[in-house]
Amino acid sequence: MKKYEFSKIESRWQKKWLKDGIYEPDLKKAKNPFYNLMMFPYPSAEGLHVGNMYAFTGSDIYGRFKRMNGYDVFEPIGLDGFGIHSENYAMKIGTHPIKQSKISEKRFYKQLEILGNGFAWNEHVETYDAEYYKWTQWLFVQMWKRGLAYRKKQSVNWCPSCKTVLADEQVIASKCERCSSVAPKKDLEQWFFRITDYADRLLHNLENLDWSERVKIAQKNWIGKSEGAEINFAVSDFPQVIKVFTTRPDTLYGATYVVLAPEHELVQKLKTKILNFGEVKKYIDLTVKKTEEERAMGSKEKTGVELKGVLAINPASGDGIPIYISDYVLSGYGTGAIMAVPAHDERDFAFAKKFKIPIKVVIDGGGLKPGEAQTESFAGEGTLVNSEKFNGMKSADAMWEIVKLVGGERKIQFRIRDWLVSRQRYWSPPIPMIFCEECAFGGIGEQKGMPGWFAVPEKELPIILPNVKEFRPEGTGESPLASVKSFHSAKCPRCGSVARRETDVSDTFLDSAWYFLRYPSATNKKVAWDDAITKKWLPVNEYIGGAEHSVLHLLYSRFITMVLSDIGIINFEEPFTKFRAHGLLIKDGAKMSKSKGNVVNPDEYIKRFGADTLRTYLMFLAPFEQGGDFRDAGMLGITRFLDRVWRLGQRVIEKEKVAKDESRERILHQTIKKVTSDIENLQYNTAISSLMVLLNKVEEKGLSRKEFEVLIKLIAPFAPHITEELWYELGNKKSIHISKWPTFEHSKTVEDTFELVVQINGKFKSRITVPVGISEADAKVEAMKNSTVSGILNGKEIKKTIFVEDRLINFVL
RNA sequence: GCCUGAGUGGCGGAACUGGUAUACGCGCACGACUCAAAAUCGUGUAGGUAAAUCCUGUGUGGGUUCGAGUCCCACCUCAGGCACCA
């Protein structure tokens, strides 16, 4: 009997697959295209870890399954190698990123090769390749032309450790997503993309996407739509009004004060009228100094200052009410001003208590009665009181009536803000823009409100990232490129004067926001993507990746795709028809991380156990979408399983005689059914377990050649090498991975008899073997024959009988 | 605080639409093979017990139902996301 030598088998087949190109679909002519995509990795120089492999394997199994089901599967691979992460690493070890990227690339690709995935290597893509980022820059230009890219001075997140600005999406609980440093706000002029223009569509389209629910919810929360009204509050002896946004206009009569964000422009305008402006100014200065973290995390204790000498007029009641400034009102949301209803908002309540502002109950509900001393606020809806002619109305009915009365306006607010895309770093595509002082002086520019700014003409792209020695960020608010004269001096595309090239680079998330468009056209150097090929292959059929990108990559990609669709250069507006988030692979109960020292490198495991065993183990340990704990011990079960498959295979190859057996045929068909639906639903763990059940049942008596071929086909997506070896040894001439997936016949999965459960008062008592489809009456008779059952029932009156067809009979006494 | 998930043997995890709880694997115990060990194969393995077709048992406490891991209510714990968003 031949021995199972996995290392020889695996490397041999990997070479052969590559040579035969069985994973390269004909991108132009494929009849049945299926785009199977996994989020491309950023090549950390520590190399691929088993968490990456977990995700890739899960995606690959689905791809192999689809391929065997007759699809032309395209499963590309590439590297998201630009960006801070790679750059930080390069700095740490003192190698230039250009050099380091080549080293990492080699290492990563080598590791990816030994996993046994069905990658289409011909279409590989690296974001730091000029052939790629040429088009990233081109994309920026398209955004600019469409008026969706703009520059603006604004309070933005600044990471002092990464020495660059960050998008809101890259700040988690006021900390930098990469390095966890506290990222305070800083006023800087930066490039933004108008993602807010697409907020409503990004939200609305979610409904029809076949995506993991948790990711959809995360996006929904991030976009944060709230419907309400904008209402004007007049200011005493002053021409300008205070605009406030509220979702609860039904509580308007309860608004006993107004709060402005400290940055609100009206504060300065009212300067001369405010009696205590010195105090006010002190508070504003203090607020500005506070970092965002202190503002958010610091004690929830409310602070603020009243603007003495001015009053706002409640437009419903006509009462004059005080105006405060407080940092609990954010300048970046709504109008930067609120009407405060202490009786019906927790925050306003706390503030009013502290500053002894009247609390007026206007909604009767939650056990709160008007007139009583208030100990807490009630934020629910209810019946209006103290609201003049609206008394007695329900919140929902009164709401818009009140808005109408005071001349307010329905308004929708979003939480999401524009995408900040510029970075003061080195290792990214330079933003392809030029600023001309001459033209700026003359008020001339390509876009409204942005004099002097011009896009680099498309034929001049790419703007190559120069190989500079000093690539470290300086922390001056400028990119390291700013000190490279040969780079930043440019000619104005319009007037030809000496101009200055933009020296900031773009966010890495721009690189990855469109890579799926590039893959199928990756070999074409003339266009970003080929129209015919794109029509054929996109949108992506199955996308798998980490849930941590819920509001980063996945949102940005959707946005960019929508824009491209609006421009008319692609014919779909959602990039990923189906998306599934894989679970997280943990080790010893904790997320794998270098600092904890629990990172598992797949290489050694592949050496020891083989890629097939590791792949199958990873998929067996827990549901793929849930993730689980990686343990060495578990590997043994899979080793045994594949060994047994191998040995059974040798018996088949040696032409062991096997008698025909109907029950064996039945379990085979049942397993085909189970494995097929489990793989379709990414429930790989149960698919593998049912294959083990099958093997346990058939191992002793053996299988016919045909039956064994079915078995290894079912295992092939999980363990591609061993099954391929057995397949060829059986005399097949073409790869098992392009063979046809087994089908089952329903009639062959069903049994003639089954074990009918007999319950008494809902408790299991016995089971009896009866024919499938047995009638209630017959079942009753059969059950009575059972000694246990008849013993208990003896002489007792049966009040009721419950019969579930082909399952159970229950006697109620 | 709010929004998602999730709590099942010694461990990872199964369980269709409410219908035999613990599939499959690990571990453990015993047995076979062997001079012996490893590997392999076989048997057993929720607890109460020596044993059962007895009793108890799916985070806790209630409820609905002939019947609840599954549905409802309240709570506890853990993981993830959002967090003064008006």
Side-chain angles (χ1 to χ4, degrees), chain A residues 122 182 253 350 377 437 443 472 476 556 617 634 645 648 726 745 801:
Chain A
N122 291 353
V182 173
Y253 283 90
S377 58
E437 206 134 339
R472 282 155 208 277
T476 52
Y556 295 146
Y617 169 64
V645 171
L648 179 60
L726 290 165
E745 282 171 48
T801 307

Side-chain angles (χ1 to χ4, degrees), chain A residues 77-95:
Chain A
I77 183 68
L79 298 174
D80 190 14
F82 251 151
I84 295 184
H85 215 129
S86 307
E87 186 178 351
N88 283 353
Y89 183 81
M91 281 194 310
K92 200 176 112 198
I93 63 163
T95 314

